[in-house]
Amino acid sequence: MDNFISLLEQENLSINQIVRILSCSTDEDIEALRFQAEKVTFKTVSPAVYFRGLIELSNICSLDCYYCGIRRSNRNIRRYTLSRDEVLQAAMECIEMGYGSIVLQSGERTDDAFVDYIVDLICAIKTLSRSERLPEGLAITLSIGEQSEKDLKRFFKAGAHRYLLRIETSDPDLFARIHPVDQSFEKRLSCLRSLREIGFMVGTGVMIGLPGQTLEMLARDILFFRDEKVDMIGMGPYIVQPDTPLANTHVFTKEYLFRLSLNMIAVTRLICPAVNIASTTALETLHPEGRLMGIAHGANVVMPCHTPLSKSCDYNLYKGKSRLNRDNGDSWKKFLGSVKSLGRIPSFHAWGDSLHFMKRAGKRTCPVHSE
Ligand code: 5AD
């Protein structure tokens, strides 16, 4: 136990040491890891928890990833694209909730009509959301896949300043096994690097528990986040989607996968102390208090879904996707109460930019106004 605690406090952990921490399984070791991650969170990024309203713009996708329910070849899905009004309505809802930022997410499309749609939405949301409390409007994060450098620059100029693009796994062979041949690890990596060069606050992440993924690969994923200097991290358990080619290859139990996902969050906080880490929806699919437990293990961002209810059920990346009961005021209040009982501060009307980004870019952020 003492050895384990001193391991947690060590800098420059080796792959083997990270694997040892990730696989901890006694109650004592698990709590020691959680406690250390919490300590680093408080000391580095503060007790604040930020909210990003997630708006799933469209489930039309030109890619065919073997794990994803909105893949191009899935015929068992109703495709949709939100109208401009629907998106602005959802953004208004996020403003009313007091969030400082939103995430616009969709399947990947690179055609001109789609790019113009995104640029128009960014401009409209910026105009709509400027107020005394948020003089620069909502912070906008895009999560719309690999785009050309030219189009990324257009999005940035229009006012989006954050971008999420998951690497899915930092292991090129595993990446090749879960994607068709026309998708390349190198291209994904080069897109991530362009995002940083353009000036975006950059987020990436991986799925945890993919078929064929080892603890060593996950340990390398965390070092990848550090070495690629990413500012935001969103990871979640891989959850089988029955309408995909990987449907029958699942190996881990729910309990193991949940524990491993929490351990990944905690170790990521230790190794990348200044980044923003999301407690993702997929965690809640495995456990009713999943997102809260993610926060207790070092996450500091939550992304409540604000896609219109009539469409959200068609954004089925995986099976059993949960919503953070935003339509039920009582359970939202209960969630905020639980966040506070962890000693954390739900933070409203604040962008909550990543400290890692501010340090490297010398940028400022909006001040925090808690409830
Ligand atoms: N299980 C968990 N996460 C998934 N994603 C896609 N399919 C699944 C799945 N079956 C994640 C990917 C993608 C993000 C938008 O959703 O990591 O980048």
Side-chain angles (χ1 to χ4, degrees):
M1 170 75 183
D2 282 350
N3 272 349
F4 189 68
I5 290 180
S6 53
L7 185 61
L8 295 176
E9 287 170 349
Q10 198 174 307
E11 280 179 21
N12 291 320
L13 292 164
S14 68
I15 297 286
N16 283 345
Q17 288 171 323
I18 300 173
V19 168
R20 156 88 182 89
I21 301 175
L22 284 177
S23 57
C24 73
S25 59
T26 65
D27 289 350
E28 255 189 330
D29 284 358
I30 287 171
E31 177 52 21
L33 170 60
R34 192 205 64 76
F35 183 78
Q36 185 68 15
E38 184 173 69
K39 202 165 97 182
V40 173
T41 308
F42 274 79
K43 203 174 93 189
T44 314
V45 289
S46 90
V49 172
Y50 300 104
F51 303 101
R52 286 72 170 95
L54 174 65
I55 307 175
E56 295 148 330
L57 300 176
S58 170
N59 64 359
I60 299 178
C61 191
S62 58
L63 302 186
D64 223 9
C65 309
Y66 295 158
Y67 47 85
C68 184
I70 66 167
R71 65 198 301 268
R72 166 183 88 215
S73 303
N74 185 7
R75 304 260 171 274
N76 206 359
I77 178 178
R78 213 168 28 146
R79 301 284 172 175
Y80 74 85
T81 299
L82 298 186
S83 68
R84 185 179 199 269
D85 280 355
E86 282 175 313
V87 179
L88 298 188
Q89 178 73 38
M92 275 308 295
E93 214 175 273
C94 296
I95 295 169
E96 280 157 22
M97 294 293 287
Y99 306 155
S101 72
I102 56 168
V103 178
L104 301 180
Q105 188 176 87
S106 86
E108 187 169 312
R109 271 178 60 189
T110 51
D111 52 282
D112 290 346
F114 181 74
V115 171
D116 290 345
Y117 164 77
I118 298 291
V119 170
D120 172 58
L121 287 176
I122 297 169
C123 297
I125 292 170
K126 277 291 181 189
T127 306
L128 180 87
S129 59
R130 284 194 188 99
S131 69
E132 218 171 285
R133 274 172 137 176
L134 277 180
E136 292 175 61
L138 284 169
I140 301 178
T141 305
L142 297 180
S143 174
I144 55 174
E146 289 170 23
Q147 303 284 339
S148 71
E149 203 166 317
K150 177 175 127 275
D151 292 334
L152 291 175
K153 284 184 178 155
R154 275 188 74 192
F155 301 143
F156 189 72
K157 212 168 143 217
H161 79 286
R162 302 176 180 161
Y163 206 103
L164 302 175
L165 182 65
R166 285 192 179 177
I167 192 79
E168 312 298 359
T169 168
S170 66
D171 186 283
D173 293 333
L174 181 58
F175 186 99
R177 272 181 272 143
I178 60 172
H179 294 107
V181 281
D182 60 345
Q183 277 176 255
S184 94
F185 178 82
E186 287 69 30
K187 187 159 168 258
R188 181 70 53 100
L189 185 56
S190 116
C191 191
L192 266 177
R193 290 176 177 165
S194 316
L195 286 165
R196 199 179 52 218
E197 255 153 51
I198 292 169
F200 280 101
M201 190 179 305
V202 180
T204 193
V206 295
M207 283 179 287
I208 301 161
L210 287 163
Q213 189 181 41
T214 61
L215 288 180
E216 193 178 314
M217 289 176 192
L218 288 169
R220 289 189 195 283
D221 287 341
I222 299 176
L223 297 185
F224 172 91
F225 302 149
R226 182 196 64 190
D227 297 342
E228 286 298 319
K229 301 183 177 59
V230 299
D231 307 301
M232 313 180 286
I233 296 165
M235 302 172 283
Y238 163 64
I239 294 168
V240 174
Q241 218 296 354
D243 300 314
T244 60
L246 291 188
N248 298 315
T249 49
H250 190 50
V251 276
F252 300 111
T253 65
K254 233 173 153 177
E255 291 71 26
Y256 177 79
L257 200 53
F258 186 59
R259 173 43 47 203
L260 185 55
S261 302
L262 295 176
N263 289 0
M264 274 294 282
I265 291 180
V267 179
T268 301
R269 176 58 72 205
L270 301 186
I271 295 181
C272 310
V275 299
N276 276 350
I277 303 179
S279 191
T280 55
T281 324
L283 270 178
E284 202 135 290
T285 306
L286 294 183
H287 188 291
E289 306 242 289
R291 262 189 277 212
L292 202 59
M293 290 179 72
I295 293 171
H297 284 76
N300 65 335
V301 165
V302 176
M303 294 161 53
C305 179
H306 283 265
T307 310
L309 270 176
S310 59
K311 304 285 166 49
S312 179
C313 52
D314 295 318
Y315 201 82
N316 272 334
L317 301 173
Y318 49 82
K319 200 175 162 205
K321 202 180 71 167
S322 97
R323 294 174 77 86
L324 190 61
N325 299 312
R326 64 127 204 266
D327 305 301
N328 175 340
D330 283 348
S331 59
W332 175 242
K333 272 198 200 123
K334 187 164 161 254
F335 177 74
L336 295 182
S338 308
V339 170
K340 286 183 199 162
S341 71
L342 295 175
R344 307 292 289 274
I345 306 172
S347 301
F348 294 93
H349 310 291
W351 277 9
D353 277 341
S354 153
L355 177 67
H356 182 276
F357 174 81
M358 290 189 289
K359 278 184 170 169
R360 75 176 170 83
K363 292 270 165 64
R364 66 185 180 79
T365 185
C366 280
V368 176
H369 301 274
S370 60
E371 261 188 321

